[in-house]
Amino acid sequence: MMIGAFFDIDGTLYRNSLMIEHFKKLIKYEVIDELIWHSHVKQTFEEWERRYGDFEDYLEELAEIYVKELKGVNKSHIEFIAHQVIKINGEKVYKYARDRIEWHKDQGHKVFFISGSPEFLVSKMAEKYGVTQFRGSEYVLDENDNFTGDIVKMWDSFNKQRALDQFVEKFEIDLENSYAYGDTTGDLSMLKMVGNPIAINPNRALYESIKADKNISDKVKIIIERKDMIYKVDSSVDILE
């Protein structure tokens, strides 16, 4: 049986959100009106940037507008801008995660990306890093290749587990000896299913979920990467308010 390595992207490999970067480029190329940013998202972003607000609140608000504004946009426009996003941002990743991808490939492991970001972005990151296969949120197109406004999401724990199950069956993956990497509770199911779970810069909700579950807390590695330092801590570490 093969060993697999399952990676989330946003916050785990990439140091931000691919969707956010795509949103910014859609404004730059005038696909989305800049007034949308100033009237709807800017305040939430600034609250998070000053650490008074929550990043998930900012991301959720932006995602709602992102989907609404993309409705009716042709695939060719979306793909062109997606290419620009990866070209500019594809190297802005955590060193630890990047090195682990290369280590797994050197070991002959199967490497998978399972991400909540749009599949047209995930596919380009997958190509850049030479992974085996990938899953991202599907943005449904009509018969003219225009975005319908419908999404088959991949950012929650249930759907990520379903994607992982499909890879396990297709590639005959040995889960007990496999690895998963994530940073939020959306990745929790992946982390629970493998013998080698690794949380990279976990948010509070994921850390608390790990700490509360002995089955995962006893085997998880928690990696913190800040500035030019990479730390490994265990699940008993205290967190400060």
Side-chain angles (χ1 to χ4, degrees):
M1 296 184 72
M2 296 298 300
I3 293 176
F6 304 91
F7 284 82
D8 169 57
I9 293 180
D10 296 334
T12 301
L13 172 62
Y14 180 55
R15 299 198 308 264
N16 199 331
S17 160
L18 292 177
M19 185 191 69
I20 290 175
E21 295 304 322
H22 195 243
F23 182 89
K24 291 177 181 177
K25 288 292 183 294
L26 289 166
I27 292 175
K28 177 181 178 181
Y29 287 99
E30 299 182 345
V31 177
I32 295 178
D33 191 331
E34 188 174 359
L35 289 175
I36 297 292
W37 164 264
H38 290 286
S39 60
H40 293 282
V41 187
K42 183 180 179 182
Q43 182 178 350
T44 310
F45 168 74
E46 289 178 345
E47 287 178 358
W48 166 73
E49 193 174 42
R50 297 194 302 267
R51 297 302 187 265
Y52 289 110
D54 188 273
F55 179 76
E56 296 299 320
D57 293 336
Y58 161 55
L59 190 60
E60 184 176 341
E61 183 176 346
L62 185 141
E64 184 177 343
I65 295 169
Y66 177 82
V67 172
K68 179 182 176 182
E69 294 299 318
L70 274 187
K71 186 174 181 178
V73 177
N74 191 265
K75 177 184 178 181
S76 61
H77 296 302
I78 296 173
E79 289 282 352
F80 170 76
I81 298 171
H83 176 76
Q84 298 301 310
V85 168
I86 303 306
K87 181 179 179 180
I88 295 169
N89 298 281
E91 295 285 349
K92 298 177 181 178
V93 298
Y94 288 111
K95 181 181 185 301
Y96 178 82
R98 182 182 62 211
D99 290 349
R100 292 300 291 177
I101 290 172
E102 292 307 312
W103 181 81
H104 285 296
K105 289 163 65 176
D106 289 344
Q107 300 303 308
H109 300 166
K110 300 294 185 183
V111 181
F112 305 96
F113 284 170
I114 304 178
S115 171
S117 276
E119 196 157 81
F120 50 79
L121 291 166
V122 176
S123 65
K124 290 173 175 54
M125 283 292 276
E127 181 180 0
K128 179 176 180 59
Y129 287 94
V131 306
T132 307
Q133 281 195 4
F134 63 89
R135 290 286 188 279
S137 294
E138 179 186 355
Y139 283 57
V140 181
L141 303 173
D142 64 17
E143 64 276 9
N144 297 313
D145 277 348
N146 295 321
F147 176 47
T148 65
D150 295 322
I151 297 176
V152 181
K153 63 182 180 179
M154 189 56 68
W155 55 72
D156 61 293
S157 193
F158 173 80
N159 282 296
K160 287 196 172 188
Q161 178 174 336
R162 187 170 62 176
L164 188 149
D165 287 339
Q166 292 170 353
F167 288 141
V168 168
E169 181 177 359
K170 180 176 180 178
F171 292 93
E172 298 184 337
I173 300 296
D174 174 10
L175 283 175
E176 183 59 34
N177 288 301
S178 290
Y179 300 74
Y181 301 80
D183 71 313
T184 70
T185 52
D187 305 312
L188 188 59
S189 60
M190 296 199 306
L191 297 174
K192 284 183 174 182
M193 290 178 71
V194 298
N196 300 285
I198 299 158
I200 300 178
N201 298 324
N203 67 3
R204 180 183 292 266
L206 177 59
Y207 173 75
E208 290 177 345
S209 296
I210 289 171
K211 195 169 185 176
D213 187 339
K214 187 172 177 59
N215 289 328
I216 187 172
S217 64
D218 285 348
K219 60 182 180 179
V220 72
K221 291 181 181 178
I222 299 176
I223 302 297
I224 310 297
E225 183 172 334
R226 288 291 183 268
K227 297 186 172 66
D228 59 350
M229 293 284 289
I230 300 173
Y231 308 81
K232 183 174 75 172
V233 299
D234 61 41
S235 59
S236 65
V237 67
D238 290 330
I239 55 175
L240 304 177
E241 294 295 335

